[in-house]
Amino acid sequence: MAVETLSPDWEFDRVDDGSQKIHAEVQLKNYGKFLEEYTSQLRRIEDALDDSIGDVWDFNLDPIALKLLPYEQSSLLELIKTENKVLNKVITVYAALCCEIKKLKYEAETKFYNGLLFYGEGATESSMVEGDCQIQMGRFIAFLQELSCFVTRCYEVVMNVVHQLAALYISNKIAPKIIETTGVHFQTMYEHLGELLTVLLTLDEIIDNHVTLKDHWTMYKRLLKSVHHNPSKFGIQEEKLKPFEKFLLKLEGQLLDGVIFQACIEQQFDSLNGGISVSKNSTFAEEFAHSLRSIFANVEAKLGEPSEIDQREKYVGICGLFVLHFQIFRTIDKKFYKSLLDICKKVPAITLTANIIWFPDNFLIQKIPAAAKLLDRKSLQAIKMHRDTFLQQKAQSLTKDVQSYYVFVSSWMMKMESILSKEQRMDTFAEDLTNRCNVFIQVGFLYAYSISTIIKTTMNLYMSLQKPMTKTSVKALCRLVELLKAIQHMFYRRSMVVADSVSHITQHLQHQALSSISVAKKRVISDKKYSEQRLDVLSALVLAENTLNGPSTKQRRLIVSLALSVGTQMKTFKDEELLPLQVVMKKLDIISELRERVQAQCDCCFLYWHRAVFPIYLDDVYENAVDAARLHYMFSALRDCVPAMMHARHLESYEVLLDCYDKEIMEILNEHLLDKLCKEIEKDLRLSVHTHLKLDDRNPFKVGMKDLALFFSLNPIRFFNRFIDIRAYVTHYLDKTFYNLTTVALHDWATYSEMRNLATQRYGLVMTEAHLPSQTLEQGLDVLEIMRNIHIFVSRYLYNLNNQIFIERTSNNKHLNTINIRHIANSIRTHGTGIMNTTVNFTYQFLKKKFYIFSQFMYDEHIKSRLIKDIRFFREIKDQNDHKYPFDRAEKFNRGIRKLGITPEGQSYLDQFRQLISQIGNAMGYVRMIRSGGLHCSSNAIRFVPDLEDIVNFEELVKEEGLADETLKAARHLDLVLSDHTRNSAEGTEYFKMLVDVFAPEFRRPKNIHLRNFYIIVPPLTLNFVEHSISCKEKLNKKNKIGAAFTDDGFAMGVAYILKLLDQYQEFDSLHWFQSVREKYLKEIRAVAKQQNVQSASQDEKLLQTMNLTQKRLDVYLQEFELLYFSLSSARIFFRADKTAAEENQEKKEKEEETKASNGELPDSTVSGEVVK
């Protein structure tokens, strides 16, 4: 087409033909190549995505959104092309005005409504500093100026629309008509005009209801006054203040006095300079009234019905138009006025936006007081009464409504799933599309509309009439919010299939409309009577046809409806044809904007103003955990107000408002759900682990039970730019609590481990292991505790040499504490190996004090004299007595000491001396246990090293690889740790040797010669010990167990240690004391046995019993001595009793010489110097 219109001058020279062809071929080749690459790229993408591409579109993860809104770049002028130039102009003008109104409406709804509504939000009363209000208003002035410009523009558009309509409908008979208008009704124009009036009316309502805005405005004006008195103080030029004040007054007059709508309708519509006359134009007045009535007739039929779609908004527009009509023409149709008011009985209130509710009766009475006077008071009162009753009825029927909607929506979802998952068959394609269209619109979209209306009207009415809501109502309304979001999610989840269907349905509907129009067109063509009017009709139908052949954009649908306004005159359509065409066009409107309309209906931005219900809702979710998944829907609803908040202009940035909202919602969620959940789960775990304590009744039949595990099967909930993972939150809480409480009381680690396992089993929570040094449950004392109180420890605990275990002597509890190697190893793991040396140091300090007492006892005249006497006696008789120390001499010593005096507890000095030695032995036993614990701990730590014989040097490896200095440092540390562990686990420090080496020289000095008598006191000591031990063991079988014990190897350890320090093993062995004891008892046992044989013949029973008891006693004594002998022999092994001090010194010298010979240097000093200070 473009080529034909070229003028001959533009024809190319024929010479260029060849070159042009080559050029075209190159381009074609490039294009072919591009297509090939693009195809392969698409194929790769297709392969990368799996087969489930069309299945489900996740609402929370939305990396790619799918927009279904049809779009094209053609302008109105390109679309409206017919041979009929006049009609083109008329339609173009009206279409342009309607587009302008739509743009203004969109701007108002997104930018201005939200800017005004959110003014003052995001700052709580407590956090507002004085002057904040003025600062907020200062930031907001620019917005108000934009709003002022917007309102002025709206006024101009309203004026233009009225003028354009008045110009078409001329009552002047003489003046030429633009087109023949009898039977032409541009209803669409009036509907659009109504929409624009609704915008102005909504702005009025928002500002009127905004107390904060007005308060801040007043404060701001006061601030300006104070600036006016002293402008230099504020750094403002005085000449700039006056115009600014004038500007503020203009803003106040135009916007804040609630006359935005009033000022619009009170404009001077008649042109003063002899242009268009409006108010005197009777044809226009009639046309205006006729259009109003016909729109109202359509609206009235559907209002309050289940099939209502957008009739409420239109009704607001009709009220606005009615007031405009009255304002221009000053006539009132009382009947129409009454029927407008009657609607209030069906619809007592209408939500304009968010939380702004509008009462039509108030508006009509206020704006047309003349008409209001004609009505009786009663009917007006009745409307107000009806509003209250409506609310009461709603509150009662809410629960029922929710149940029925629940069923409706669920069955609709099933229908959606089944319809969309069915394969489309070609033979039933049209029928299939009609089904889909009905499911999308008549069910899904209509449910969304009616649910949304119930929620908004009920909530806003409660708020507006300031009536309290019951908890039941709140729960029911929240359920409805969930249903609303469920509908939106359903459309969203099936986005791919819906998108596919929508384009098909649109084409199908366009086809229906086109066939209907072509029938009418044929009818017009077949009529041979020619008139301009008929030509207009034909052009209009052609225009409608042409426009329908293309994407179903807003502009095209608008042009079609305007063209049909002209095309339906002169009975071109029969009545039974016209109605289906209108239905098809209405469906086309909804289907083409399905996604946007569903989104608008399911938008829960209004919840921001009713967020007080959120805590009640969360409590309900917590109580009825069964359907916890509905939280997703509620959070999705709460998220809806985020885009609206971005238009807030009174804060430094809208981010502040978003953060404030985010924080508020999260605090409520934590308080009413998450924290409760955490506490309940923790309580449940505790009670389950401690069931043996029978803390309270947990019978589910009596107390009831909640399955809180359902909360953990929820997917993370998206809110703002993050996900709230209930499972992770509770897991973290439990981890943190268990960890902290274990650190406070390490011995409870087993309980918390059990609780962790239970949490995994019962709730499926993946808990983190605490990795704290565990203390076993029966752990008595910690190494640190023992070390600090070693003097108390050695007196209160008894040592068992063979099992290496300490047992408490007595306890107030029903059990005795024990301490063994594992406890010590755990303690060392807790506090580190450094504690071992410190413990030995403490033991050294303790031994020093005890040896001082030991020395004093040995130095005592009574004791020393007796001991010297005993030594002399033994020397004298040893040859006659076979070198054995007599038993009776030891007994005599014991008796003699008792005569010296007894303590209030009945203990002799020898008893106390025995206890002193036992305590020294216990201290040595403790040192031995520390060493064993250390080895145990080291071997546990080093078990991860694969081969102790061959440990690689990490430092060298890192150097070879040439890694960073930090890595080298780390490797060096690792080598040190490994070598330290290896050394510790292999050797362990010889603490006994150190404690012998440090005290022995002092003990063997000439000035301590009195200590050399010690070996001779050992026999009476052993005797004393055996008597004490037997009495302790006998108490085990008695009821009163005070003083009962079955082991006390501390004595043997003490004796062995002191003999070593004094180097008196040989002296003690020369006494052959244990042989002497054995012989004495065996002799007595034989004597008793002989007597028994004699007595058994004489049959004296009493005597026999006595003898049996004597024999038993002798056996026990012998056994005890034997046990003591074994213990002493074992203990001596620790101190290398086979060698005397002289031999040990000789061995030491030889070793040193060997070392010098091999190293050629002196050996390092031993560790003892470092440890014992």
Side-chain angles (χ1 to χ4, degrees):
M1 183 178 160
V3 179
E4 290 168 15
T5 55
L6 283 175
S7 62
D9 311 343
W10 280 92
E11 277 203 11
F12 288 114
D13 234 346
R14 296 285 170 223
V15 185
D16 272 356
D17 212 3
S19 63
Q20 195 183 354
K21 198 173 176 187
I22 293 165
H23 194 65
E25 278 173 8
V26 170
Q27 287 303 327
L28 262 174
K29 252 185 206 161
N30 287 347
Y31 186 56
K33 205 190 261 175
F34 162 73
L35 273 180
E36 275 172 26
E37 280 175 16
Y38 189 54
T39 315
S40 64
Q41 201 176 343
L42 283 176
R43 192 162 292 125
R44 278 204 306 278
I45 292 171
E46 200 175 344
D47 293 341
L49 298 166
D50 55 3
D51 302 335
S52 64
I53 180 169
D55 286 4
V56 169
W57 199 283
D58 188 353
F59 201 85
N60 292 323
L61 303 164
D62 192 6
I64 301 168
L66 197 57
K67 286 263 189 286
L68 308 183
L69 209 59
Y71 175 76
E72 64 175 349
Q73 287 182 325
S74 312
S75 67
L76 285 175
L77 292 167
E78 287 171 302
L79 291 174
I80 304 169
K81 275 190 179 166
T82 64
E83 303 298 320
N84 189 337
K85 295 282 188 282
V86 179
L87 182 71
N88 285 0
K89 275 187 182 171
V90 172
I91 303 261
T92 307
V93 167
Y94 286 171
L97 281 170
C98 289
C99 288
E100 173 82 0
I101 287 172
K102 282 286 185 205
K103 276 183 192 154
L104 289 171
K105 184 184 175 190
Y106 176 76
E107 191 178 0
E109 283 175 346
T110 50
K111 179 178 171 185
F112 293 112
Y113 290 178
N114 293 325
L116 287 167
L117 283 167
F118 284 103
Y119 178 80
E121 292 294 320
T124 51
E125 292 299 318
S126 54
S127 68
M128 292 250 313
V129 192
E130 195 181 345
D132 269 7
C133 312
Q134 289 88 330
I135 292 170
Q136 284 189 10
M137 183 48 81
R139 292 190 192 114
F140 202 62
I141 296 285
F143 178 84
L144 289 175
Q145 186 179 3
E146 286 167 32
L147 179 60
S148 167
C149 298
F150 171 80
V151 168
T152 312
R153 177 67 182 165
C154 289
Y155 290 175
E156 288 168 9
V157 173
V158 170
M159 177 72 86
N160 200 307
V161 171
V162 172
H163 280 177
Q164 295 290 2
L165 285 167
L168 198 62
Y169 297 92
I170 303 171
S171 52
N172 192 341
K173 295 283 192 300
I174 313 144
K177 285 191 175 180
I178 298 172
I179 57 169
E180 183 55 55
T181 53
T182 41
V184 176
H185 307 295
F186 285 107
Q187 214 169 295
T188 316
M189 282 301 292
Y190 293 97
E191 284 174 4
H192 278 75
L193 182 57
E195 283 178 19
L196 191 53
L197 292 174
T198 306
V199 167
L200 298 174
L201 189 146
T202 308
L203 287 171
D204 263 342
E205 288 292 323
I206 292 173
I207 292 168
D208 190 41
N209 283 312
H210 212 315
V211 186
T212 317
L213 181 68
K214 291 175 178 171
D215 289 350
H216 286 195
W217 181 261
T218 317
M219 289 179 182
Y220 191 71
K221 284 200 297 185
R222 278 189 209 139
L223 173 78
L224 264 189
K225 249 209 177 109
S226 55
V227 173
H228 203 93
H229 290 308
N230 194 352
S232 56
K233 187 181 174 186
F234 295 93
I236 289 168
Q237 297 165 11
E238 203 166 345
E239 58 270 17
K240 281 189 179 174
L241 262 180
K242 274 267 165 49
F244 185 59
E245 281 180 353
K246 269 187 193 167
F247 165 66
L248 286 188
L249 280 173
K250 177 188 160 226
L251 284 184
E252 186 172 9
Q254 184 187 14
L255 306 174
L256 301 178
D257 291 345
V259 291
I260 299 177
F261 176 78
Q262 198 60 35
C264 175
I265 58 172
E266 285 175 357
Q267 288 182 96
Q268 181 63 43
F269 287 102
D270 292 324
S271 300
L272 299 171
N273 50 6
I276 300 164
S277 163
V278 179
S279 55
K280 304 285 188 294
N281 188 340
S282 54
T283 318
F284 176 46
E286 272 172 47
E287 173 57 29
F288 200 142
H290 173 273
S291 291
L292 259 182
R293 276 195 294 276
S294 27
I295 299 171
F296 181 66
N298 291 340
V299 168
E300 189 184 24
K302 289 281 183 77
L303 258 182
E305 296 300 312
S307 58
E308 185 184 336
I309 291 179
D310 53 0
Q311 278 73 14
R312 272 165 211 252
E313 294 155 38
K314 282 191 178 163
Y315 173 63
V316 181
I318 293 168
C319 292
L321 286 169
F322 182 71
V323 175
L324 176 65
H325 182 272
F326 168 73
Q327 195 65 39
I328 297 174
F329 303 111
R330 291 292 167 185
T331 56
I332 271 194
D333 181 344
K334 288 175 205 155
K335 195 176 163 196
F336 186 58
Y337 183 70
K338 201 165 181 328
S339 47
L340 270 180
L341 276 174
D342 283 345
I343 292 286
C344 297
K345 289 174 187 163
K346 266 202 222 172
V347 182
I350 291 170
T351 302
L352 295 175
T353 177
N355 62 335
I356 303 299
I357 200 154
W358 182 75
F359 303 120
D361 50 338
N362 291 356
F363 174 77
L364 290 168
I365 293 163
Q366 188 194 338
K367 297 293 178 197
I368 315 178
K373 283 173 194 164
L374 305 171
L375 290 169
D376 55 340
R377 276 277 175 84
K378 265 189 187 171
S379 55
L380 294 177
Q381 278 303 110
I383 292 172
K384 284 192 171 53
M385 290 289 291
H386 180 261
R387 202 172 290 148
D388 293 344
T389 51
F390 168 82
L391 198 55
Q392 282 170 355
Q393 285 167 358
K394 253 292 163 260
Q396 285 161 2
S397 67
L398 259 178
T399 325
K400 241 191 196 158
D401 289 351
V402 171
Q403 285 168 347
S404 49
Y405 274 118
Y406 223 83
V407 176
F408 292 157
V409 173
S410 305
S411 62
W412 169 75
M413 285 176 149
M414 296 318 296
K415 263 189 206 158
M416 277 281 276
E417 286 290 355
S418 65
I419 276 191
L420 296 180
S421 53
K422 259 197 288 190
E423 281 293 317
Q424 286 187 320
R425 299 217 326 265
M426 289 318 288
D427 50 343
T428 58
F429 198 56
E431 190 186 323
D432 209 15
L433 286 179
T434 314
N435 274 344
R436 287 187 180 209
C437 180
N438 290 345
V439 169
F440 289 172
I441 297 176
Q442 289 170 344
V443 190
F445 179 63
L446 290 180
Y447 281 158
Y449 184 84
S450 37
I451 292 174
S452 166
T453 310
I454 291 175
I455 303 168
K456 287 179 188 169
T457 312
T458 316
M459 280 190 162
N460 289 334
L461 259 180
Y462 269 118
M463 203 168 170
S464 168
L465 301 176
Q466 293 186 330
K467 293 199 169 175
M469 270 163 123
T470 61
K471 263 193 180 180
T472 324
S473 302
V474 171
K475 287 176 193 171
L477 286 165
C478 290
R479 282 278 181 183
L480 287 174
V481 170
E482 289 162 10
L483 282 181
L484 198 56
K485 290 320 263 181
I487 292 174
Q488 187 183 0
H489 281 219
M490 186 69 218
F491 275 116
Y492 204 90
R493 281 179 64 242
R494 310 297 297 186
S495 277
M496 299 291 277
V497 196
V498 170
D500 192 27
S501 305
V502 163
S503 53
H504 285 152
I505 294 170
T506 310
Q507 284 179 352
H508 183 55
L509 291 170
Q510 282 175 331
H511 166 71
Q512 286 175 325
L514 281 169
S515 52
S516 175
I517 290 171
S518 69
V519 170
K521 197 171 85 174
K522 279 175 192 164
R523 199 173 286 138
V524 176
I525 295 171
S526 62
D527 199 335
K528 294 288 182 263
K529 286 179 192 169
Y530 172 78
S531 71
E532 277 190 13
Q533 197 176 358
R534 192 170 295 283
L535 196 65
D536 287 346
V537 170
L538 192 58
S539 304
L541 291 175
V542 169
L543 175 61
E545 264 192 335
N546 292 343
T547 316
L548 270 172
N549 275 317
S552 172
T553 59
K554 276 185 188 171
Q555 288 186 344
R556 281 180 186 262
R557 294 196 311 277
L558 174 65
I559 293 167
V560 171
S561 70
L562 288 169
L564 287 179
S565 303
V566 179
T568 49
Q569 58 179 323
M570 294 177 63
K571 299 263 189 298
T572 44
F573 288 89
K574 291 178 185 168
D575 285 348
E576 65 269 18
E577 291 172 354
L578 195 55
L579 202 65
L581 179 62
Q582 284 168 344
V583 170
V584 165
M585 292 312 293
K586 187 76 189 158
K587 276 188 185 173
L588 191 60
D589 270 352
I590 295 174
I591 279 289
S592 304
E593 297 171 15
L594 182 68
R595 183 72 172 281
E596 281 60 32
R597 289 209 182 202
V598 168
Q599 215 156 348
Q601 283 318 323
C602 299
D603 181 33
C604 293
C605 182
F606 61 88
L607 269 185
Y608 178 85
W609 313 101
H610 302 286
R611 55 192 187 284
V613 305
F614 189 49
I616 299 166
Y617 168 79
L618 285 177
D619 291 339
D620 179 47
V621 171
Y622 178 70
E623 289 308 317
N624 310 312
V626 187
D627 47 358
R630 57 201 177 109
L631 272 170
H632 281 282
Y633 291 132
M634 184 49 83
F635 271 92
S636 166
L638 288 169
R639 216 164 61 214
D640 280 348
C641 55
V642 173
M645 285 182 177
M646 292 180 177
H647 294 283
R649 292 273 290 274
H650 61 288
L651 299 165
E652 291 165 31
S653 150
Y654 64 81
E655 299 281 351
V656 180
L657 179 57
L658 289 180
D659 290 345
C660 188
Y661 177 59
D662 181 12
K663 198 169 152 198
E664 183 183 352
I665 295 296
M666 284 315 293
E667 276 172 7
I668 296 173
L669 178 70
N670 287 344
E671 184 187 340
H672 290 269
L673 182 71
L674 297 181
D675 293 347
K676 269 188 185 171
L677 192 61
C678 292
K679 296 272 187 300
E680 187 63 37
I681 299 267
E682 188 188 352
K683 182 182 162 192
D684 178 53
L685 294 174
R686 279 185 192 287
L687 292 178
S688 302
V689 168
H690 295 95
T691 35
H692 57 284
L693 299 178
K694 301 208 167 35
L695 294 167
D696 60 0
D697 193 1
R698 302 189 70 224
N699 181 345
F701 293 105
K702 290 180 189 169
V703 210
M705 66 178 285
K706 262 188 284 192
D707 186 4
L708 297 173
L710 291 158
F711 284 109
F712 305 128
S713 55
L714 284 188
N715 287 334
I717 301 163
R718 181 175 162 200
F719 191 56
F720 278 81
N721 301 325
R722 66 167 178 283
F723 285 93
I724 302 161
D725 190 346
I726 297 180
R727 188 196 190 101
Y729 185 91
V730 175
T731 307
H732 174 67
Y733 169 81
L734 292 175
D735 275 338
K736 190 172 82 176
T737 311
F738 294 169
Y739 184 89
N740 290 344
L741 292 173
T742 310
T743 52
V744 173
L746 281 169
H747 52 273
D748 280 342
W749 68 272
T751 312
Y752 289 114
S753 288
E754 210 175 317
M755 280 159 76
R756 263 190 214 99
N757 292 338
L758 193 63
T760 308
Q761 284 167 17
R762 190 170 288 181
Y763 299 110
L765 301 177
V766 182
M767 307 288 288
T768 315
E769 201 49 55
H771 294 299
L772 281 168
S774 51
Q775 285 193 316
T776 49
L777 274 176
E778 75 274 11
Q779 179 142 358
L781 291 167
D782 186 54
V783 168
L784 267 181
E785 287 296 308
I786 299 173
M787 185 176 83
R788 287 178 185 139
N789 307 302
I790 192 155
H791 54 294
I792 300 170
F793 171 74
V794 292
S795 60
R796 285 198 188 162
Y797 279 77
L798 300 166
Y799 181 55
N800 186 306
L801 186 75
N802 301 316
N803 292 326
Q804 249 198 103
I805 184 170
F806 275 100
I807 299 148
E808 206 173 1
R809 196 184 286 271
T810 54
S811 166
N812 299 328
N813 304 326
K814 288 186 178 175
H815 59 268
L816 297 172
N817 284 327
T818 63
I819 294 169
N820 59 34
I821 295 173
R822 191 169 83 246
H823 301 144
I824 300 288
N826 280 339
S827 282
I828 292 172
R829 185 177 153 217
T830 308
H831 304 294
T833 46
I835 200 167
M836 292 164 68
N837 288 346
T838 319
T839 307
V840 177
N841 272 336
F842 266 81
T843 312
Y844 164 72
Q845 305 292 346
F846 167 74
L847 287 173
K848 247 181 21 178
K849 288 175 189 162
K850 290 294 170 192
F851 281 139
Y852 179 67
I853 300 166
F854 172 80
S855 175
Q856 278 183 317
F857 179 81
M858 296 297 288
Y859 198 72
D860 185 90
E861 276 306 316
H862 295 288
I863 305 294
K864 195 160 70 167
S865 59
R866 280 164 195 268
L867 292 177
I868 292 168
K869 206 185 284 178
D870 279 357
I871 292 171
R872 199 177 299 130
F873 169 76
F874 178 63
R875 280 185 189 145
E876 285 167 5
I877 64 129
K878 66 180 176 185
D879 292 333
Q880 305 134 29
N881 210 6
D882 200 12
H883 290 270
K884 289 175 189 151
Y885 188 76
F887 185 87
D888 50 355
R889 187 78 187 179
E891 266 187 321
K892 186 182 167 193
F893 186 92
N894 247 348
R895 285 197 297 276
I897 296 277
R898 280 193 92 76
K899 283 176 192 165
L900 288 177
I902 285 176
T903 62
E905 290 87 37
Q907 289 189 330
S908 68
Y909 288 120
L910 199 63
D911 285 329
Q912 287 173 301
F913 188 54
R914 171 183 50 74
Q915 283 174 356
L916 174 75
I917 288 172
S918 290
Q919 287 178 12
I920 292 170
N922 282 346
M924 295 308 285
Y926 179 55
V927 169
R928 177 190 172 205
M929 200 182 254
I930 286 284
R931 180 174 184 270
S932 305
L935 289 172
H936 197 85
C937 183
S938 293
S939 57
N940 261 347
I942 206 153
R943 65 185 168 184
F944 301 107
V945 177
D947 185 0
L948 291 180
E949 299 300 315
D950 177 28
I951 296 179
V952 290
N953 188 317
F954 285 96
E955 189 178 353
E956 283 175 14
L957 291 175
V958 169
K959 274 181 187 166
E960 278 172 31
E961 293 299 321
L963 298 174
D965 287 349
E966 285 85 354
T967 319
L968 189 67
K969 210 172 179 183
R972 197 174 296 133
H973 281 306
L974 180 60
D975 287 336
L976 281 172
V977 169
L978 284 172
S979 64
D980 196 33
H981 270 311
T982 319
R983 193 170 61 249
N984 285 349
S985 63
E987 306 157 12
T989 316
E990 293 286 353
Y991 292 122
F992 274 12
K993 189 171 182 304
M994 284 158 46
L995 286 169
V996 168
D997 290 350
V998 79
F999 284 114
E1002 191 63 36
F1003 269 59
R1004 296 169 190 172
R1005 273 192 187 176
K1007 71 169 185 180
N1008 288 328
I1009 194 82
H1010 61 283
L1011 298 180
R1012 311 285 299 161
N1013 306 331
F1014 175 71
Y1015 75 97
I1016 206 76
I1017 203 174
V1018 174
L1021 267 178
T1022 53
L1023 202 56
N1024 181 292
F1025 172 76
V1026 166
E1027 282 172 3
H1028 163 73
S1029 178
I1030 289 171
S1031 77
C1032 287
K1033 284 181 182 174
E1034 281 172 353
K1035 282 177 188 168
L1036 282 172
N1037 301 322
K1038 292 181 181 166
K1039 197 170 185 184
N1040 182 5
K1041 289 190 168 54
I1042 294 169
F1046 66 87
T1047 180
D1048 187 3
D1049 292 336
F1051 175 73
M1053 281 291 273
V1055 169
Y1057 178 45
I1058 294 169
L1059 284 173
K1060 176 72 182 172
L1061 291 178
L1062 292 165
D1063 191 21
Q1064 284 193 331
Y1065 280 146
Q1066 285 186 343
E1067 281 90 335
F1068 174 66
D1069 288 345
S1070 69
L1071 296 178
H1072 298 100
W1073 164 243
F1074 285 105
Q1075 280 170 290
S1076 171
V1077 169
R1078 193 178 296 113
E1079 279 176 14
K1080 187 251 178 199
Y1081 278 116
L1082 285 174
K1083 193 176 170 186
E1084 285 190 13
I1085 288 168
R1086 275 197 294 274
V1088 170
K1090 203 185 249 180
Q1091 248 177 323
Q1092 271 178 325
N1093 292 337
V1094 174
Q1095 289 299 334
S1096 59
S1098 65
Q1099 301 293 315
D1100 188 344
E1101 272 189 29
K1102 274 191 179 176
L1103 200 59
L1104 265 176
Q1105 275 178 347
T1106 315
M1107 285 179 168
N1108 283 341
L1109 285 172
T1110 310
Q1111 188 169 15
K1112 254 188 192 167
R1113 191 177 59 80
L1114 290 171
D1115 284 343
V1116 167
Y1117 267 88
L1118 182 60
Q1119 191 183 359
E1120 272 308 313
F1121 267 109
E1122 291 284 301
L1123 284 173
L1124 176 60
Y1125 173 62
F1126 296 144
S1127 297
L1128 191 57
S1129 306
S1130 304
R1132 283 171 64 170
I1133 293 167
F1134 299 133
F1135 302 103
R1136 301 185 61 194
D1138 55 333
K1139 295 193 175 165
T1140 60
E1143 285 170 345
E1144 277 185 1
N1145 287 338
Q1146 182 60 36
E1147 194 180 290
K1148 202 174 178 184
K1149 273 181 191 168
E1150 282 170 10
K1151 264 192 182 175
E1152 278 177 9
E1153 280 165 14
E1154 270 176 38
T1155 321
K1156 277 181 190 174
S1158 59
N1159 294 351
E1161 57 183 40
L1162 284 165
D1164 287 351
S1165 59
T1166 56
V1167 189
S1168 62
E1170 173 192 278
V1171 175
V1172 184
K1173 296 197 173 83

